[in-house]
Amino acid sequence: MKGKTALYPGTFDPVTNGHVDIVRRAARIFDRVIVAVAKGQHKSPFLTIEQRRQLVKEACDGIEGVEVVSFDTLLVEEFRRRKVDVVIRGLRAVSDFEYELMIALMNRKLNPEFETVFLMPSEQYIYLHSSLVKEIYQLGGEIGCLVPASVPKRLKEWGIK
Ligand code: ADP
């Protein structure tokens, strides 16, 4: 969409192929896509915000019109501050729907201008969750087919168990 900017927020702990699929779809629709890594302290992420941001940045390298930032405020605040047009959220199975609807409507209550656009990933990513990736990794499983190539490489390099 000409001149339109989308903000794609998430915890990205860690970024998966499903997230990247959504970024690619968003980048085909919007002129600019800002992927915003949330501090998400209440979720006790296993990676630091800086590590998550770096992994997202490497995963999105080469996708035109995409930039990666981090934030630690309310999403409505980031929406207002960056003057974006819409917020992107990914919808996987029906299980995502109720939670995402609640968040979208609450954000609209906080700011009537807040608009959420839902994008569906390719069906191979429907059951791909960061939390599962994390569990597989921590139990010594192979995550190479679930995440961008730089993720296992960096986790090893950073000595993350
Ligand atoms: P959050 O804590 O904000 O839910 P996540 O990193 O888990 O952070 O997810 C960020 C966004 O990406 C959410 O909208 C989520 O539904 C979406 N998402 C996560 N995994 C996938 C996937 N495999 N396919 C499509 N969308 C996904």
Side-chain angles (χ1 to χ4, degrees), residues 12-21 46-47 55-56 58-60 124-125 128-137 141-155:
F12 303 103
D13 187 40
V15 63
T16 69
N17 292 339
H19 291 127
V20 179
D21 180 276
F46 94 126
L47 297 174
L55 293 179
V56 175
E58 288 173 352
C60 295
Q124 58 188 308
Y125 304 129
L128 182 49
H129 287 239
S130 290
S131 57
L132 276 180
V133 169
K134 206 171 357 182
E135 199 173 329
I136 295 168
Y137 178 77
E142 187 48 63
I143 59 166
C145 57
L146 308 173
V147 294
S150 80
V151 174
K153 202 176 100 201
R154 293 284 180 214
L155 294 182

Side-chain angles (χ1 to χ4, degrees), residues 8-14 16-19 21-22 38 42-43 88-92 96 99-100 119-122 125-130:
Y8 177 35
T11 314
F12 303 103
D13 187 40
T16 69
N17 292 339
H19 291 127
D21 180 276
I22 295 293
H42 59 290
K43 291 199 164 183
I88 302 280
R89 293 290 286 175
L91 265 192
R92 289 164 290 193
D96 277 344
Y99 174 77
E100 292 292 344
L119 294 178
M120 273 73 70
S122 163
Y125 304 129
I126 288 285
Y127 293 110
L128 182 49
H129 287 239
S130 290

Side-chain angles (χ1 to χ4, degrees), residues 48-113:
T48 67
I49 189 166
E50 190 38 53
Q51 288 169 330
R52 285 179 277 136
R53 197 192 63 84
Q54 183 177 336
L55 293 179
V56 175
K57 199 162 174 14
E58 288 173 352
C60 295
D61 193 36
I63 311 178
E64 213 178 317
V66 175
E67 59 197 273
V68 182
V69 302
S70 56
F71 73 108
D72 63 358
T73 58
L74 262 182
L75 182 54
V76 283
E77 189 51 41
E78 191 64 7
F79 175 89
R80 189 190 56 76
R81 203 173 67 82
R82 294 199 178 268
K83 299 185 169 56
V84 297
D85 298 287
V86 300
V87 161
I88 302 280
R89 293 290 286 175
L91 265 192
R92 289 164 290 193
V94 207
S95 53
D96 277 344
F97 182 76
E98 198 154 359
Y99 174 77
E100 292 292 344
L101 181 65
M102 174 179 79
I103 299 293
L105 293 180
M106 180 52 78
N107 282 327
R108 190 184 274 165
K109 203 181 279 271
L110 296 175
N111 176 356
E113 311 244 291

